[in-house]
Amino acid sequence: MAKNQLRLGVNIDHVATVRNARGGAYPDPVRAAKLAEEAGADGITAHLREDRRHITDADIDALMAALSVPLNFEMAATEEMQRIALRHRPHAVCIVPEKREERTTEGGLDVAREENRLAHFIAPLRDAGCRVSIFIAADRRQIDAAHRIGAEVIELHTGAYCDYHAEGRFEDRDRELEALLEMSAYAHALGLEVHAGHGLTFDTVQPVAAFPEVKELNIGHFLIGEAIFCGLTPAVQEMRRLMDAARG
Ligand code: PXP
């Protein structure tokens, strides 16, 4: 991988969503992960939710055994998830907020409010060799708190930026993009590695991919949706091409 290349993490949660709609074994998220890997993904992301609505414990076992690229294990800050992560020791753990009633991860984690608890929560994960990432909004307070608790990575939530784009609210979109750019530089200057993701599409990926401080994008729902129309391999390849072109 070229030094300046932006990493692409492909989130395969929604392959499991389709599988679970029928309760069987098809389509297999591991097969999708291997295809994404061959198509240019630098990592695979999977979110084991408390309610197991898409990815299951067995999927995590199978992904750990099958992948040649790193697994980014997304999880809520619960004891159960900590135990699972410590058993698998994935390359990376991304701590996300989770509410049962939400359709997807709606906002960033309020690290500032839970600073003490989260500092204790991530310490054993770091000790086990996992790179701990915290999913947060582009907010200086949250970045400072993530830094203080000892996270190595933050992932900036791009959901609001993508929603504004989809709704045609371009002034709001551009303001959000500006905040993401400014906060990625701020976090990088503190020594944090900066990732970004949520809601990114072919139309919205390039401005974020162009941020020099961002090292990784995690993209799922759009790619799995696009795969219905053109196949997963072309979808991942096109995302990769757009990211590389934006990076120059
Ligand atoms: N990053 C994080 C932390 C997420 O929780 C998600 C959604 O699971 C993503 C990235 C990917 O978002 P999307 O599926 O909208 O591309």
Side-chain angles (χ1 to χ4, degrees):
M1 187 168 77
K3 213 169 153 221
N4 188 37
Q5 200 191 4
L6 181 60
R7 290 198 302 268
L8 169 60
V10 172
N11 180 317
I12 43 90
D13 291 351
H14 297 299
V15 179
T17 304
V18 176
R19 176 197 59 196
N20 296 357
R22 284 292 172 95
Y26 184 86
D28 176 13
V30 176
R31 183 173 164 202
K34 296 299 288 180
L35 263 185
E37 218 181 271
E38 285 162 25
D42 303 293
I44 297 297
T45 295
H47 183 178
L48 185 67
R49 293 187 77 104
E50 187 193 6
D51 62 8
R52 312 303 199 262
R53 72 174 70 156
H54 38 57
I55 293 293
T56 63
D57 300 66
D59 290 329
I60 298 295
D61 293 345
L63 286 166
M64 284 299 295
L67 292 182
S68 321
V69 294
L71 177 69
N72 176 30
F73 179 64
E74 277 184 21
M75 56 177 243
T78 65
E79 274 179 33
E80 182 201 17
M81 289 301 151
Q82 189 191 53
R83 263 196 314 278
I84 294 169
L86 289 173
R87 193 168 73 242
H88 287 295
R89 300 175 179 230
H91 166 82
V93 167
C94 181
I95 312 291
V96 301
E98 206 176 289
K99 292 190 219 107
R100 258 175 195 270
E101 63 277 15
E102 71 189 354
R103 258 186 289 179
T104 180
T105 313
E106 279 164 6
L109 198 66
D110 192 349
V111 203
R113 193 171 58 94
E114 291 196 273
E115 199 170 321
N116 256 339
R117 184 178 87 83
L118 287 170
H120 285 104
F121 184 83
I122 69 169
L125 296 167
R126 283 197 57 172
D127 292 347
C130 302
R131 301 202 72 204
V132 176
S133 160
I134 311 281
F135 189 46
I136 52 177
D139 174 338
R140 201 179 293 263
R141 252 180 76 239
Q142 301 297 346
I143 295 170
D144 287 339
H147 182 239
R148 281 194 300 269
I149 67 170
E152 295 163 279
V153 181
I154 56 154
E155 180 163 331
L156 292 175
H157 198 314
T158 53
Y161 154 70
C162 293
D163 287 346
Y164 289 141
H165 178 83
E167 292 160 11
R169 293 169 59 183
F170 298 132
E171 275 182 29
D172 291 330
R173 175 198 65 187
D174 293 347
R175 197 174 7 84
E176 187 65 26
L177 194 63
E178 192 56 38
L180 288 163
L181 173 62
E182 203 183 309
M183 289 304 108
S184 65
Y186 178 72
H188 178 77
L190 288 178
L192 290 160
E193 183 170 306
V194 183
H195 300 176
H198 209 281
L200 292 169
T201 66
F202 290 158
D203 288 340
T204 51
V205 73
Q206 288 197 300
V208 181
F211 296 172
E213 286 88 3
V214 171
K215 291 279 181 302
E216 178 175 308
L217 298 181
N218 285 300
I219 308 178
H221 182 264
F222 173 81
L223 284 174
I224 304 307
E226 192 62 14
I228 293 170
F229 303 108
C230 70
L232 186 58
T233 299
V236 172
Q237 285 171 339
E238 176 62 4
M239 192 60 86
R240 176 82 274 164
R241 187 190 70 74
L242 290 167
M243 286 165 55
D244 293 345
R247 204 65 166 195

